[in-house]
Amino acid sequence: MKKYLLILIFIVGNLSAAYMKVTLKNNTYNISSSCSVPIQDNGDYKCHKYYEIKLQSKYNLFKYNKDLIAINYAVCKTTGFCDVYSRSNDFEIITDLYYINDVQVYNPNKSDLYLRITEEGLNKILKSHSLKIILPLRLFSKDTLIKEYYRIFGNNGYYDLEKLKPTIILDTSNISIYSLKNQCKQELNECKIKADKLNSPLNRVKRFFNFGSF
């Protein structure tokens, strides 16, 4: 898994960039293939070409959804296999040429944030030298957002948090598309073995009666 440099900024309304003091671990991000996990699709498990961007907050900045974690854990126990990602419409991934709207997210704790994109999304990213990720306000605590708002606008007793747009800009110029796709190709073989087992007649019957899988 390779690490890549990033810049984290906080853009407010129509103003020029106003910087929010946020530090990610080692000031880097990771991107890797994520093609080894079978994902349930209309009952059966199938293999997909996905790629994962990992952001890690050094100071536990991110606010995570405990209810979502509990739901995913329950699904894991029921099906016998976990896919912890959830589809999200409020994460914006933008390049100078494309808008990538097929994004899935996993936010297991206050430190880690994972974004999963398709191979089509990866191809769009790699046609540009940089990538902008606009994070939803729900990812941060209200106290953090209010503090940042007052830092920028001054504390006059009023705040409009909708003016805040937390934005991460990643340098993607050094990503090797061939390395990522080759890794994905190898992982798909592993995925197929797992999917065949999960889709066995016995496991299909067990899922039908909500008994989980072997």
Side-chain angles (χ1 to χ4, degrees), residues 5-38:
L5 293 176
L6 59 81
I7 303 171
L8 183 57
I9 62 177
F10 208 95
I11 298 179
V12 183
N14 294 323
L15 299 180
S16 59
Y19 291 89
M20 179 181 180
K21 212 172 181 183
V22 176
T23 303
L24 296 194
K25 188 174 181 181
N26 299 324
N27 292 317
T28 63
Y29 71 97
N30 294 329
I31 183 167
S32 59
S33 61
S34 181
C35 307
S36 64
V37 178

Side-chain angles (χ1 to χ4, degrees), residues 152-168:
I152 296 167
F153 293 103
N155 190 346
N156 56 9
Y158 167 83
Y159 58 85
D160 179 7
L161 299 183
E162 293 301 319
K163 291 184 177 181
L164 303 178
K165 290 187 179 294
T167 303
I168 299 174

